[in-house]
Amino acid sequence: MKLDLNIQPLSSWMKVTSEPLVIAGPCSAETEEQLVATAHLLAKTGKVSALRAGIWKPRTRPGEFEGIGSIGLEWLKRAKDETGLPTAVEVATAKHVEEALNAGVDILWVGARSTANPFTVQEIADALKGVDVPVMVKNPVNPDLSLWIGALERINNAGITKLAAIHRGFSSHEKSAFRNEPMWDLAISLKTHAPHLPLINDPSHITGNRDLIGYISQKALDLDMQGLMIESHIDPSVAWTDAKQQVTPNALVDIINHLALRKPEVKGTELKDKLAELRNQIDKIDDLVIQKMAERMKIVEQIGNYKKDNNITILQVNRWDEILQKGVNYGKALKLSPEFTEKLLELIHSESIRKQTEIMNKDQAGQAAEKLTHA
Ligand code: PEP
Ligand code: MN
């Protein structure tokens, strides 16, 4: 399904001073000096296209620093006047939108917690009606692609055509090296649904750790994302929020200088031919995989019918454990990662269960429908 978004290309509303597009600035505006000094250092790098700063901060616990509030908008104005950098701010209520626009903020973004709540997104969208301002929508905290898409649609329906999405990772129960799991497949899914929608990666909130920002940034660029939003503070060690993930403007330059910029399209014919040949091989293998899956599902159908006739439960846990173990070991021997093989087998298995459930319930559903028509 392609999304029907009415949007303008990123280049029509964002002047990219240096590739890749980098939006940088402190997690929070703390003091006028901190914000203005950080902005000057960032502008001097020549690598930053816009200045970000949180003015109203969504904090998990009450009593934590909840943002400097409206006064920070004046500081942002000064930072912009002195450096020429356009400014970006998170808005979470209609009042934030109004204040930010009155203060001349150039770009607004919807935070992850807001995207998770359609009431909030709609309130922001309503406040944006009739306004021509770029808006970036972060993914929701929970890994739900529809919520992300829904928020983009609400903002777009309000008439905002300068639209982008920000991938900042997702809350997850599982412990990992990241503050928010990237779950790249969700970002790729959004790209598939809306190929023209600019997608910006936020490695700061994904990693929660400045040492991993370069790694995630490279991965995002390799997936053809259009830019990066990176938190930068003049002195991260004393930052009031997100201290561990912020980098000095100097460290930011170092990260950017180490990024390899790869092109989505190949130029030379020789390269093109080689790539086409390799893709051809992959396509053939994909065809085979799908064909084999279809064959497998036909057999699953027979198993379903057999289980039904003999009153056997669909799931036999021992059998599933056995398949999984065997498959993962085989995969390992063939240099596939255990996580990949496990995920693949789980996907195949859940489709088999779905098919068998359908078979088991076919007659029951038929009987129920019959009863209804005769009721
Ligand atoms: C932020 O950008 O500082 C922020 C609060 O991000 P998120 O909404 O992704 O948590
Ligand atoms: Mn932050």
Side-chain angles (χ1 to χ4, degrees), residues 6 45 55 65 74 101 116 122 140 149 170 178 188 212 214 242 269 281 283-284 309 312 317 338 340 369:
N6 172 21
T45 67
I55 299 290
F65 173 61
E74 296 304 315
L101 292 174
Q122 194 56 52
I149 289 177
F170 302 86
F178 301 118
I188 292 168
L212 297 172
D242 288 353
T269 45
Q281 285 180 32
D283 290 353
K284 275 192 195 136
D309 293 346
I312 303 174
V317 178
F340 170 74

mmCIF file with all atom_site columns, all heavy atoms in Angstrom, residues 6 45 55 65 74 101 116 122 140 149 170 178 188 212 214 242 269 281 283-284 309 312 317 338 340 369:
data_model
loop_
_atom_site.group_PDB
_atom_site.id
_atom_site.type_symbol
_atom_site.label_atom_id
_atom_site.label_alt_id
_atom_site.label_comp_id
_atom_site.label_asym_id
_atom_site.label_entity_id
_atom_site.label_seq_id
_atom_site.pdbx_PDB_ins_code
_atom_site.Cartn_x
_atom_site.Cartn_y
_atom_site.Cartn_z
_atom_site.occupancy
_atom_site.B_iso_or_equiv
_atom_site.pdbx_formal_charge
_atom_site.auth_seq_id
_atom_site.auth_comp_id
_atom_site.auth_asym_id
_atom_site.auth_atom_id
_atom_site.pdbx_PDB_model_num
ATOM 1   N N   . ASN A 1 6   ? 0.562   14.318  0.320   1.00 0.00 ? 6   ASN A N   1
ATOM 2   C CA  . ASN A 1 6   ? 0.823   15.423  -0.590  1.00 0.00 ? 6   ASN A CA  1
ATOM 3   C C   . ASN A 1 6   ? 1.993   16.222  -0.012  1.00 0.00 ? 6   ASN A C   1
ATOM 4   O O   . ASN A 1 6   ? 1.810   17.052  0.871   1.00 0.00 ? 6   ASN A O   1
ATOM 5   C CB  . ASN A 1 6   ? -0.453  16.276  -0.696  1.00 0.00 ? 6   ASN A CB  1
ATOM 6   C CG  . ASN A 1 6   ? -0.209  17.542  -1.472  1.00 0.00 ? 6   ASN A CG  1
ATOM 7   O OD1 . ASN A 1 6   ? 0.756   17.633  -2.249  1.00 0.00 ? 6   ASN A OD1 1
ATOM 8   N ND2 . ASN A 1 6   ? -1.050  18.540  -1.246  1.00 0.00 ? 6   ASN A ND2 1
ATOM 9   N N   . THR A 1 45  ? 31.189  24.993  12.116  1.00 0.00 ? 45  THR A N   1
ATOM 10  C CA  . THR A 1 45  ? 31.634  23.725  11.517  1.00 0.00 ? 45  THR A CA  1
ATOM 11  C C   . THR A 1 45  ? 31.315  23.688  10.021  1.00 0.00 ? 45  THR A C   1
ATOM 12  O O   . THR A 1 45  ? 31.940  22.959  9.267   1.00 0.00 ? 45  THR A O   1
ATOM 13  C CB  . THR A 1 45  ? 30.935  22.501  12.166  1.00 0.00 ? 45  THR A CB  1
ATOM 14  O OG1 . THR A 1 45  ? 29.538  22.551  11.833  1.00 0.00 ? 45  THR A OG1 1
ATOM 15  C CG2 . THR A 1 45  ? 31.102  22.464  13.669  1.00 0.00 ? 45  THR A CG2 1
ATOM 16  N N   . ILE A 1 55  ? 12.564  23.035  24.027  1.00 0.00 ? 55  ILE A N   1
ATOM 17  C CA  . ILE A 1 55  ? 12.133  24.164  24.860  1.00 0.00 ? 55  ILE A CA  1
ATOM 18  C C   . ILE A 1 55  ? 11.154  23.651  25.921  1.00 0.00 ? 55  ILE A C   1
ATOM 19  O O   . ILE A 1 55  ? 11.183  24.054  27.065  1.00 0.00 ? 55  ILE A O   1
ATOM 20  C CB  . ILE A 1 55  ? 11.433  25.229  23.962  1.00 0.00 ? 55  ILE A CB  1
ATOM 21  C CG1 . ILE A 1 55  ? 12.405  25.766  22.909  1.00 0.00 ? 55  ILE A CG1 1
ATOM 22  C CG2 . ILE A 1 55  ? 10.822  26.334  24.814  1.00 0.00 ? 55  ILE A CG2 1
ATOM 23  C CD1 . ILE A 1 55  ? 13.516  26.626  23.456  1.00 0.00 ? 55  ILE A CD1 1
ATOM 24  N N   . PHE A 1 65  ? 13.825  18.279  35.038  1.00 0.00 ? 65  PHE A N   1
ATOM 25  C CA  . PHE A 1 65  ? 13.813  19.534  34.274  1.00 0.00 ? 65  PHE A CA  1
ATOM 26  C C   . PHE A 1 65  ? 12.860  19.414  33.085  1.00 0.00 ? 65  PHE A C   1
ATOM 27  O O   . PHE A 1 65  ? 13.078  18.599  32.192  1.00 0.00 ? 65  PHE A O   1
ATOM 28  C CB  . PHE A 1 65  ? 15.230  19.852  33.797  1.00 0.00 ? 65  PHE A CB  1
ATOM 29  C CG  . PHE A 1 65  ? 15.313  21.027  32.870  1.00 0.00 ? 65  PHE A CG  1
ATOM 30  C CD1 . PHE A 1 65  ? 14.908  22.297  33.295  1.00 0.00 ? 65  PHE A CD1 1
ATOM 31  C CD2 . PHE A 1 65  ? 15.803  20.883  31.582  1.00 0.00 ? 65  PHE A CD2 1
ATOM 32  C CE1 . PHE A 1 65  ? 14.987  23.387  32.431  1.00 0.00 ? 65  PHE A CE1 1
ATOM 33  C CE2 . PHE A 1 65  ? 15.887  21.967  30.720  1.00 0.00 ? 65  PHE A CE2 1
ATOM 34  C CZ  . PHE A 1 65  ? 15.481  23.219  31.148  1.00 0.00 ? 65  PHE A CZ  1
ATOM 35  N N   . GLU A 1 74  ? 13.111  33.064  22.794  1.00 0.00 ? 74  GLU A N   1
ATOM 36  C CA  . GLU A 1 74  ? 13.850  34.323  22.559  1.00 0.00 ? 74  GLU A CA  1
ATOM 37  C C   . GLU A 1 74  ? 15.320  34.014  22.305  1.00 0.00 ? 74  GLU A C   1
ATOM 38  O O   . GLU A 1 74  ? 15.959  34.616  21.450  1.00 0.00 ? 74  GLU A O   1
ATOM 39  C CB  . GLU A 1 74  ? 13.723  35.246  23.784  1.00 0.00 ? 74  GLU A CB  1
ATOM 40  C CG  . GLU A 1 74  ? 12.296  35.706  24.059  1.00 0.00 ? 74  GLU A CG  1
ATOM 41  C CD  . GLU A 1 74  ? 11.680  36.405  22.847  1.00 0.00 ? 74  GLU A CD  1
ATOM 42  O OE1 . GLU A 1 74  ? 12.365  37.241  22.232  1.00 0.00 ? 74  GLU A OE1 1
ATOM 43  O OE2 . GLU A 1 74  ? 10.523  36.081  22.497  1.00 0.00 ? 74  GLU A OE2 1
ATOM 44  N N   . LEU A 1 101 ? 5.520   29.432  16.536  1.00 0.00 ? 101 LEU A N   1
ATOM 45  C CA  . LEU A 1 101 ? 5.328   30.156  15.277  1.00 0.00 ? 101 LEU A CA  1
ATOM 46  C C   . LEU A 1 101 ? 5.465   31.664  15.495  1.00 0.00 ? 101 LEU A C   1
ATOM 47  O O   . LEU A 1 101 ? 6.107   32.359  14.702  1.00 0.00 ? 101 LEU A O   1
ATOM 48  C CB  . LEU A 1 101 ? 3.958   29.819  14.671  1.00 0.00 ? 101 LEU A CB  1
ATOM 49  C CG  . LEU A 1 101 ? 3.813   28.379  14.161  1.00 0.00 ? 101 LEU A CG  1
ATOM 50  C CD1 . LEU A 1 101 ? 2.380   28.109  13.724  1.00 0.00 ? 101 LEU A CD1 1
ATOM 51  C CD2 . LEU A 1 101 ? 4.785   28.091  13.016  1.00 0.00 ? 101 LEU A CD2 1
ATOM 52  N N   . ALA A 1 116 ? 2.604   8.896   19.695  1.00 0.00 ? 116 ALA A N   1
ATOM 53  C CA  . ALA A 1 116 ? 1.894   7.712   20.191  1.00 0.00 ? 116 ALA A CA  1
ATOM 54  C C   . ALA A 1 116 ? 0.451   8.037   20.585  1.00 0.00 ? 116 ALA A C   1
ATOM 55  O O   . ALA A 1 116 ? -0.337  7.126   20.831  1.00 0.00 ? 116 ALA A O   1
ATOM 56  C CB  . ALA A 1 116 ? 2.648   7.139   21.397  1.00 0.00 ? 116 ALA A CB  1
ATOM 57  N N   . GLN A 1 122 ? -3.682  15.197  16.751  1.00 0.00 ? 122 GLN A N   1
ATOM 58  C CA  . GLN A 1 122 ? -4.782  15.935  16.119  1.00 0.00 ? 122 GLN A CA  1
ATOM 59  C C   . GLN A 1 122 ? -4.821  17.373  16.626  1.00 0.00 ? 122 GLN A C   1
ATOM 60  O O   . GLN A 1 122 ? -5.067  18.298  15.862  1.00 0.00 ? 122 GLN A O   1
ATOM 61  C CB  . GLN A 1 122 ? -6.125  15.221  16.374  1.00 0.00 ? 122 GLN A CB  1
ATOM 62  C CG  . GLN A 1 122 ? -7.248  15.734  15.475  1.00 0.00 ? 122 GLN A CG  1
ATOM 63  C CD  . GLN A 1 122 ? -6.908  15.632  13.992  1.00 0.00 ? 122 GLN A CD  1
ATOM 64  O OE1 . GLN A 1 122 ? -6.518  14.577  13.496  1.00 0.00 ? 122 GLN A OE1 1
ATOM 65  N NE2 . GLN A 1 122 ? -6.997  16.753  13.269  1.00 0.00 ? 122 GLN A NE2 1
ATOM 66  N N   . PRO A 1 140 ? 6.568   6.821   16.911  1.00 0.00 ? 140 PRO A N   1
ATOM 67  C CA  . PRO A 1 140 ? 6.034   6.704   18.272  1.00 0.00 ? 140 PRO A CA  1
ATOM 68  C C   . PRO A 1 140 ? 6.980   5.879   19.134  1.00 0.00 ? 140 PRO A C   1
ATOM 69  O O   . PRO A 1 140 ? 7.786   5.110   18.597  1.00 0.00 ? 140 PRO A O   1
ATOM 70  C CB  . PRO A 1 140 ? 4.707   5.969   18.064  1.00 0.00 ? 140 PRO A CB  1
ATOM 71  C CG  . PRO A 1 140 ? 4.879   5.221   16.790  1.00 0.00 ? 140 PRO A CG  1
ATOM 72  C CD  . PRO A 1 140 ? 5.792   6.051   15.938  1.00 0.00 ? 140 PRO A CD  1
ATOM 73  N N   . ILE A 1 149 ? 2.419   6.397   10.761  1.00 0.00 ? 149 ILE A N   1
ATOM 74  C CA  . ILE A 1 149 ? 1.763   6.786   9.510   1.00 0.00 ? 149 ILE A CA  1
ATOM 75  C C   . ILE A 1 149 ? 0.557   7.681   9.810   1.00 0.00 ? 149 ILE A C   1
ATOM 76  O O   . ILE A 1 149 ? 0.348   8.718   9.179   1.00 0.00 ? 149 ILE A O   1
ATOM 77  C CB  . ILE A 1 149 ? 1.318   5.516   8.734   1.00 0.00 ? 149 ILE A CB  1
ATOM 78  C CG1 . ILE A 1 149 ? 2.551   4.804   8.176   1.00 0.00 ? 149 ILE A CG1 1
ATOM 79  C CG2 . ILE A 1 149 ? 0.333   5.865   7.629   1.00 0.00 ? 149 ILE A CG2 1
ATOM 80  C CD1 . ILE A 1 149 ? 2.257   3.511   7.447   1.00 0.00 ? 149 ILE A CD1 1
ATOM 81  N N   . PHE A 1 170 ? 12.683  2.612   19.073  1.00 0.00 ? 170 PHE A N   1
ATOM 82  C CA  . PHE A 1 170 ? 11.451  2.230   19.767  1.00 0.00 ? 170 PHE A CA  1
ATOM 83  C C   . PHE A 1 170 ? 11.756  1.636   21.139  1.00 0.00 ? 170 PHE A C   1
ATOM 84  O O   . PHE A 1 170 ? 12.747  0.918   21.305  1.00 0.00 ? 170 PHE A O   1
ATOM 85  C CB  . PHE A 1 170 ? 10.700  1.199   18.920  1.00 0.00 ? 170 PHE A CB  1
ATOM 86  C CG  . PHE A 1 170 ? 10.358  1.705   17.541  1.00 0.00 ? 170 PHE A CG  1
ATOM 87  C CD1 . PHE A 1 170 ? 11.269  1.612   16.494  1.00 0.00 ? 170 PHE A CD1 1
ATOM 88  C CD2 . PHE A 1 170 ? 9.139   2.309   17.297  1.00 0.00 ? 170 PHE A CD2 1
ATOM 89  C CE1 . PHE A 1 170 ? 10.965  2.093   15.219  1.00 0.00 ? 170 PHE A CE1 1
ATOM 90  C CE2 . PHE A 1 170 ? 8.817   2.797   16.030  1.00 0.00 ? 170 PHE A CE2 1
ATOM 91  C CZ  . PHE A 1 170 ? 9.737   2.689   14.989  1.00 0.00 ? 170 PHE A CZ  1
ATOM 92  N N   . PHE A 1 178 ? 21.260  -0.396  23.071  1.00 0.00 ? 178 PHE A N   1
ATOM 93  C CA  . PHE A 1 178 ? 20.639  0.866   22.688  1.00 0.00 ? 178 PHE A CA  1
ATOM 94  C C   . PHE A 1 178 ? 19.590  1.340   23.686  1.00 0.00 ? 178 PHE A C   1
ATOM 95  O O   . PHE A 1 178 ? 18.930  0.539   24.333  1.00 0.00 ? 178 PHE A O   1
ATOM 96  C CB  . PHE A 1 178 ? 19.978  0.713   21.313  1.00 0.00 ? 178 PHE A CB  1
ATOM 97  C CG  . PHE A 1 178 ? 20.949  0.308   20.243  1.00 0.00 ? 178 PHE A CG  1
ATOM 98  C CD1 . PHE A 1 178 ? 20.798  -0.891  19.574  1.00 0.00 ? 178 PHE A CD1 1
ATOM 99  C CD2 . PHE A 1 178 ? 22.020  1.134   19.929  1.00 0.00 ? 178 PHE A CD2 1
ATOM 100 C CE1 . PHE A 1 178 ? 21.704  -1.267  18.595  1.00 0.00 ? 178 PHE A CE1 1
ATOM 101 C CE2 . PHE A 1 178 ? 22.926  0.762   18.958  1.00 0.00 ? 178 PHE A CE2 1
ATOM 102 C CZ  . PHE A 1 178 ? 22.776  -0.438  18.289  1.00 0.00 ? 178 PHE A CZ  1
ATOM 103 N N   . ILE A 1 188 ? 12.247  1.010   7.333   1.00 0.00 ? 188 ILE A N   1
ATOM 104 C CA  . ILE A 1 188 ? 12.253  0.602   5.918   1.00 0.00 ? 188 ILE A CA  1
ATOM 105 C C   . ILE A 1 188 ? 10.814  0.466   5.427   1.00 0.00 ? 188 ILE A C   1
ATOM 106 O O   . ILE A 1 188 ? 10.472  0.848   4.312   1.00 0.00 ? 188 ILE A O   1
ATOM 107 C CB  . ILE A 1 188 ? 13.045  -0.710  5.737   1.00 0.00 ? 188 ILE A CB  1
ATOM 108 C CG1 . ILE A 1 188 ? 14.527  -0.445  6.015   1.00 0.00 ? 188 ILE A CG1 1
ATOM 109 C CG2 . ILE A 1 188 ? 12.866  -1.285  4.339   1.00 0.00 ? 188 ILE A CG2 1
ATOM 110 C CD1 . ILE A 1 188 ? 15.387  -1.682  6.147   1.00 0.00 ? 188 ILE A CD1 1
ATOM 111 N N   . LEU A 1 212 ? 28.189  5.401   20.210  1.00 0.00 ? 212 LEU A N   1
ATOM 112 C CA  . LEU A 1 212 ? 27.570  4.579   19.163  1.00 0.00 ? 212 LEU A CA  1
ATOM 113 C C   . LEU A 1 212 ? 26.931  5.420   18.052  1.00 0.00 ? 212 LEU A C   1
ATOM 114 O O   . LEU A 1 212 ? 26.379  4.888   17.086  1.00 0.00 ? 212 LEU A O   1
ATOM 115 C CB  . LEU A 1 212 ? 26.495  3.667   19.779  1.00 0.00 ? 212 LEU A CB  1
ATOM 116 C CG  . LEU A 1 212 ? 27.003  2.648   20.803  1.00 0.00 ? 212 LEU A CG  1
ATOM 117 C CD1 . LEU A 1 212 ? 25.833  1.937   21.478  1.00 0.00 ? 212 LEU A CD1 1
ATOM 118 C CD2 . LEU A 1 212 ? 27.919  1.632   20.119  1.00 0.00 ? 212 LEU A CD2 1
ATOM 119 N N   . GLY A 1 214 ? 28.149  7.359   15.674  1.00 0.00 ? 214 GLY A N   1
ATOM 120 C CA  . GLY A 1 214 ? 28.744  7.222   14.339  1.00 0.00 ? 214 GLY A CA  1
ATOM 121 C C   . GLY A 1 214 ? 28.262  5.952   13.647  1.00 0.00 ? 214 GLY A C   1
ATOM 122 O O   . GLY A 1 214 ? 27.904  5.963   12.467  1.00 0.00 ? 214 GLY A O   1
ATOM 123 N N   . ASP A 1 242 ? 19.753  14.246  28.927  1.00 0.00 ? 242 ASP A N   1
ATOM 124 C CA  . ASP A 1 242 ? 20.424  13.377  27.944  1.00 0.00 ? 242 ASP A CA  1
ATOM 125 C C   . ASP A 1 242 ? 21.938  13.602  27.831  1.00 0.00 ? 242 ASP A C   1
ATOM 126 O O   . ASP A 1 242 ? 22.496  13.640  26.727  1.00 0.00 ? 242 ASP A O   1
ATOM 127 C CB  . ASP A 1 242 ? 19.760  13.541  26.561  1.00 0.00 ? 242 ASP A CB  1
ATOM 128 C CG  . ASP A 1 242 ? 18.371  12.905  26.520  1.00 0.00 ? 242 ASP A CG  1
ATOM 129 O OD1 . ASP A 1 242 ? 17.995  12.235  27.513  1.00 0.00 ? 242 ASP A OD1 1
ATOM 130 O OD2 . ASP A 1 242 ? 17.665  13.057  25.497  1.00 0.00 ? 242 ASP A OD2 1
ATOM 131 N N   . THR A 1 269 ? 28.704  2.292   -16.275 1.00 0.00 ? 269 THR A N   1
ATOM 132 C CA  . THR A 1 269 ? 27.976  1.156   -16.831 1.00 0.00 ? 269 THR A CA  1
ATOM 133 C C   . THR A 1 269 ? 28.530  -0.180  -16.337 1.00 0.00 ? 269 THR A C   1
ATOM 134 O O   . THR A 1 269 ? 27.788  -1.127  -16.134 1.00 0.00 ? 269 THR A O   1
ATOM 135 C CB  . THR A 1 269 ? 28.006  1.155   -18.380 1.00 0.00 ? 269 THR A CB  1
ATOM 136 O OG1 . THR A 1 269 ? 29.339  1.425   -18.767 1.00 0.00 ? 269 THR A OG1 1
ATOM 137 C CG2 . THR A 1 269 ? 27.038  2.139   -18.972 1.00 0.00 ? 269 THR A CG2 1
ATOM 138 N N   . GLN A 1 281 ? 20.736  -12.558 -9.729  1.00 0.00 ? 281 GLN A N   1
ATOM 139 C CA  . GLN A 1 281 ? 20.935  -13.808 -8.964  1.00 0.00 ? 281 GLN A CA  1
ATOM 140 C C   . GLN A 1 281 ? 20.054  -13.820 -7.718  1.00 0.00 ? 281 GLN A C   1
ATOM 141 O O   . GLN A 1 281 ? 19.414  -14.821 -7.401  1.00 0.00 ? 281 GLN A O   1
ATOM 142 C CB  . GLN A 1 281 ? 22.400  -13.917 -8.531  1.00 0.00 ? 281 GLN A CB  1
ATOM 143 C CG  . GLN A 1 281 ? 23.338  -14.294 -9.658  1.00 0.00 ? 281 GLN A CG  1
ATOM 144 C CD  . GLN A 1 281 ? 24.780  -14.387 -9.142  1.00 0.00 ? 281 GLN A CD  1
ATOM 145 O OE1 . GLN A 1 281 ? 25.018  -14.752 -8.001  1.00 0.00 ? 281 GLN A OE1 1
ATOM 146 N NE2 . GLN A 1 281 ? 25.729  -14.046 -9.992  1.00 0.00 ? 281 GLN A NE2 1
ATOM 147 N N   . ASP A 1 283 ? 17.279  -12.132 -7.237  1.00 0.00 ? 283 ASP A N   1
ATOM 148 C CA  . ASP A 1 283 ? 15.866  -12.251 -7.614  1.00 0.00 ? 283 ASP A CA  1
ATOM 149 C C   . ASP A 1 283 ? 15.490  -13.704 -7.865  1.00 0.00 ? 283 ASP A C   1
ATOM 150 O O   . ASP A 1 283 ? 14.415  -14.156 -7.491  1.00 0.00 ? 283 ASP A O   1
ATOM 151 C CB  . ASP A 1 283 ? 15.574  -11.415 -8.874  1.00 0.00 ? 283 ASP A CB  1
ATOM 152 C CG  . ASP A 1 283 ? 15.639  -9.925  -8.562  1.00 0.00 ? 283 ASP A CG  1
ATOM 153 O OD1 . ASP A 1 283 ? 15.767  -9.587  -7.368  1.00 0.00 ? 283 ASP A OD1 1
ATOM 154 O OD2 . ASP A 1 283 ? 15.583  -9.111  -9.502  1.00 0.00 ? 283 ASP A OD2 1
ATOM 155 N N   . LYS A 1 284 ? 16.404  -14.420 -8.519  1.00 0.00 ? 284 LYS A N   1
ATOM 156 C CA  . LYS A 1 284 ? 16.132  -15.839 -8.813  1.00 0.00 ? 284 LYS A CA  1
ATOM 157 C C   . LYS A 1 284 ? 15.997  -16.621 -7.504  1.00 0.00 ? 284 LYS A C   1
ATOM 158 O O   . LYS A 1 284 ? 15.108  -17.469 -7.353  1.00 0.00 ? 284 LYS A O   1
ATOM 159 C CB  . LYS A 1 284 ? 17.264  -16.429 -9.659  1.00 0.00 ? 284 LYS A CB  1
ATOM 160 C CG  . LYS A 1 284 ? 17.067  -16.163 -11.120 1.00 0.00 ? 284 LYS A CG  1
ATOM 161 C CD  . LYS A 1 284 ? 18.023  -17.011 -11.952 1.00 0.00 ? 284 LYS A CD  1
ATOM 162 C CE  . LYS A 1 284 ? 18.079  -16.462 -13.365 1.00 0.00 ? 284 LYS A CE  1
ATOM 163 N NZ  . LYS A 1 284 ? 19.437  -16.397 -13.901 1.00 0.00 ? 284 LYS A NZ  1
ATOM 164 N N   . ASP A 1 309 ? -9.157  -34.209 11.117  1.00 0.00 ? 309 ASP A N   1
ATOM 165 C CA  . ASP A 1 309 ? -9.873  -35.491 11.043  1.00 0.00 ? 309 ASP A CA  1
ATOM 166 C C   . ASP A 1 309 ? -9.578  -36.359 12.261  1.00 0.00 ? 309 ASP A C   1
ATOM 167 O O   . ASP A 1 309 ? -10.394 -37.176 12.669  1.00 0.00 ? 309 ASP A O   1
ATOM 168 C CB  . ASP A 1 309 ? -9.455  -36.248 9.762   1.00 0.00 ? 309 ASP A CB  1
ATOM 169 C CG  . ASP A 1 309 ? -9.947  -35.511 8.532   1.00 0.00 ? 309 ASP A CG  1
ATOM 170 O OD1 . ASP A 1 309 ? -10.808 -34.612 8.694   1.00 0.00 ? 309 ASP A OD1 1
ATOM 171 O OD2 . ASP A 1 309 ? -9.458  -35.784 7.411   1.00 0.00 ? 309 ASP A OD2 1
ATOM 172 N N   . ILE A 1 312 ? -6.394  -33.749 16.558  1.00 0.00 ? 312 ILE A N   1
ATOM 173 C CA  . ILE A 1 312 ? -5.077  -33.485 17.164  1.00 0.00 ? 312 ILE A CA  1
ATOM 174 C C   . ILE A 1 312 ? -4.901  -31.964 17.259  1.00 0.00 ? 312 ILE A C   1
ATOM 175 O O   . ILE A 1 312 ? -5.317  -31.241 16.348  1.00 0.00 ? 312 ILE A O   1
ATOM 176 C CB  . ILE A 1 312 ? -3.944  -34.076 16.286  1.00 0.00 ? 312 ILE A CB  1
ATOM 177 C CG1 . ILE A 1 312 ? -4.167  -35.583 16.097  1.00 0.00 ? 312 ILE A CG1 1
ATOM 178 C CG2 . ILE A 1 312 ? -2.565  -33.810 16.881  1.00 0.00 ? 312 ILE A CG2 1
ATOM 179 C CD1 . ILE A 1 312 ? -3.201  -36.233 15.126  1.00 0.00 ? 312 ILE A CD1 1
ATOM 180 N N   . VAL A 1 317 ? 4.314   -28.416 20.996  1.00 0.00 ? 317 VAL A N   1
ATOM 181 C CA  . VAL A 1 317 ? 5.472   -27.597 21.372  1.00 0.00 ? 317 VAL A CA  1
ATOM 182 C C   . VAL A 1 317 ? 6.792   -28.329 21.124  1.00 0.00 ? 317 VAL A C   1
ATOM 183 O O   . VAL A 1 317 ? 7.758   -27.750 20.621  1.00 0.00 ? 317 VAL A O   1
ATOM 184 C CB  . VAL A 1 317 ? 5.352   -27.155 22.845  1.00 0.00 ? 317 VAL A CB  1
ATOM 185 C CG1 . VAL A 1 317 ? 6.574   -26.349 23.247  1.00 0.00 ? 317 VAL A CG1 1
ATOM 186 C CG2 . VAL A 1 317 ? 4.108   -26.316 23.027  1.00 0.00 ? 317 VAL A CG2 1
ATOM 187 N N   . PRO A 1 338 ? 22.022  -16.758 14.136  1.00 0.00 ? 338 PRO A N   1
ATOM 188 C CA  . PRO A 1 338 ? 20.933  -17.482 14.793  1.00 0.00 ? 338 PRO A CA  1
ATOM 189 C C   . PRO A 1 338 ? 19.673  -16.616 14.887  1.00 0.00 ? 338 PRO A C   1
ATOM 190 O O   . PRO A 1 338 ? 18.561  -17.119 14.735  1.00 0.00 ? 338 PRO A O   1
ATOM 191 C CB  . PRO A 1 338 ? 21.475  -17.779 16.192  1.00 0.00 ? 338 PRO A CB  1
ATOM 192 C CG  . PRO A 1 338 ? 22.952  -17.622 16.103  1.00 0.00 ? 338 PRO A CG  1
ATOM 193 C CD  . PRO A 1 338 ? 23.236  -16.705 14.969  1.00 0.00 ? 338 PRO A CD  1
ATOM 194 N N   . PHE A 1 340 ? 18.620  -14.362 12.800  1.00 0.00 ? 340 PHE A N   1
ATOM 195 C CA  . PHE A 1 340 ? 17.939  -14.334 11.505  1.00 0.00 ? 340 PHE A CA  1
ATOM 196 C C   . PHE A 1 340 ? 17.175  -15.639 11.278  1.00 0.00 ? 340 PHE A C   1
ATOM 197 O O   . PHE A 1 340 ? 15.997  -15.646 10.930  1.00 0.00 ? 340 PHE A O   1
ATOM 198 C CB  . PHE A 1 340 ? 18.959  -14.112 10.377  1.00 0.00 ? 340 PHE A CB  1
ATOM 199 C CG  . PHE A 1 340 ? 18.375  -14.316 9.013   1.00 0.00 ? 340 PHE A CG  1
ATOM 200 C CD1 . PHE A 1 340 ? 17.523  -13.376 8.474   1.00 0.00 ? 340 PHE A CD1 1
ATOM 201 C CD2 . PHE A 1 340 ? 18.652  -15.482 8.289   1.00 0.00 ? 340 PHE A CD2 1
ATOM 202 C CE1 . PHE A 1 340 ? 16.942  -13.571 7.227   1.00 0.00 ? 340 PHE A CE1 1
ATOM 203 C CE2 . PHE A 1 340 ? 18.086  -15.679 7.037   1.00 0.00 ? 340 PHE A CE2 1
ATOM 204 C CZ  . PHE A 1 340 ? 17.229  -14.723 6.514   1.00 0.00 ? 340 PHE A CZ  1
ATOM 205 N N   . ALA A 1 369 ? -22.328 -19.458 10.295  1.00 0.00 ? 369 ALA A N   1
ATOM 206 C CA  . ALA A 1 369 ? -22.953 -18.617 9.263   1.00 0.00 ? 369 ALA A CA  1
ATOM 207 C C   . ALA A 1 369 ? -24.314 -19.179 8.886   1.00 0.00 ? 369 ALA A C   1
ATOM 208 O O   . ALA A 1 369 ? -25.302 -18.466 8.722   1.00 0.00 ? 369 ALA A O   1
ATOM 209 C CB  . ALA A 1 369 ? -22.041 -18.559 8.039   1.00 0.00 ? 369 ALA A CB  1
#
